[in-house]
Amino acid sequence: MEETARLGWVVPVSVAVVAGTSLMLGQWAILAINRVGRWRTLLTLAISGLGMLLTGVIEALLVALCGWMLLGRSLRVAVLLPSVLIAFAPYWLGFLVLLPYSGPGIARALKVWHLLILWALLRPVLDASATGALAVAATAWLATQVLGLLADRPPIRLRERVFRLVSDSAGWTGRDLMESAAMGQTR
């Protein structure tokens, strides 16, 4: 029975790790511009996968909190986590964010797709109506997005710091490239 329980976590954890790795593959230009070596590139991809796993844990915590606040239900994170991690499946297409012009739109579409899957998967876990599950999923998803934005803002810039540490690069980030492109368009 324990072996089955452990194997039950393989798929959700794998989905999240592959999703994070795929998103980093979508940032391949950043790795190439910074001339990140082969081993550091592999390490960066692995850390990105683990970062998605951490994001899933945070989102599951937020789902539990929102479920308690909005539905009055006490939910264990361990029960919610597999559904939250499986909801990251659309990010397997995260490598598509590297496409010029359409990349940012694809990134937004993947976020919305994640929300829709989260809603669908949480409904039976929460044993709630479609509206109740949507309220919990949307609130937790929005809180996760806000936390992600706050972590990327000065002075924290957590993702940027982790990227530079893991890739051993003091070079360009995606933000730098976007700012450089915007300045080139104004001339």
Side-chain angles (χ1 to χ4, degrees), residues 54-187:
L54 178 62
T55 301
V57 170
I58 291 168
E59 192 166 46
L61 287 167
L62 290 168
V63 166
L65 178 65
C66 293
W68 175 72
M69 290 173 49
L70 299 174
L71 301 176
R73 294 199 179 106
S74 180
L75 304 161
R76 291 187 16 232
V77 174
V79 172
L80 297 168
L81 190 56
S83 297
V84 172
L85 294 177
I86 292 291
F88 283 106
Y91 288 106
W92 279 35
L93 299 175
F95 66 90
L96 294 174
V97 301
L98 69 83
L99 296 174
Y101 304 110
S102 60
I106 291 171
R108 288 183 195 97
L110 292 175
K111 287 180 181 185
V112 172
W113 193 4
H114 166 73
L115 169 62
L116 294 174
I117 292 175
L118 183 64
W119 172 34
L121 292 175
L122 285 180
R123 187 167 180 208
V125 174
L126 296 172
D127 191 28
S129 67
T131 308
L134 178 60
V136 170
T139 305
W141 175 84
L142 187 59
T144 304
Q145 300 303 312
V146 168
L147 286 175
L149 287 172
L150 291 175
D152 281 347
R153 297 284 181 227
I156 300 172
R157 291 190 177 171
L158 184 62
R159 285 189 188 123
E160 184 177 315
R161 289 174 193 240
V162 170
F163 172 77
R164 287 183 174 166
L165 176 72
V166 172
S167 69
D168 194 29
S169 168
W172 291 70
T173 64
R175 181 185 349 268
D176 297 330
L177 293 176
M178 296 297 274
E179 288 173 3
S180 176
M183 290 202 303
Q185 291 179 353
T186 59
R187 291 183 182 173

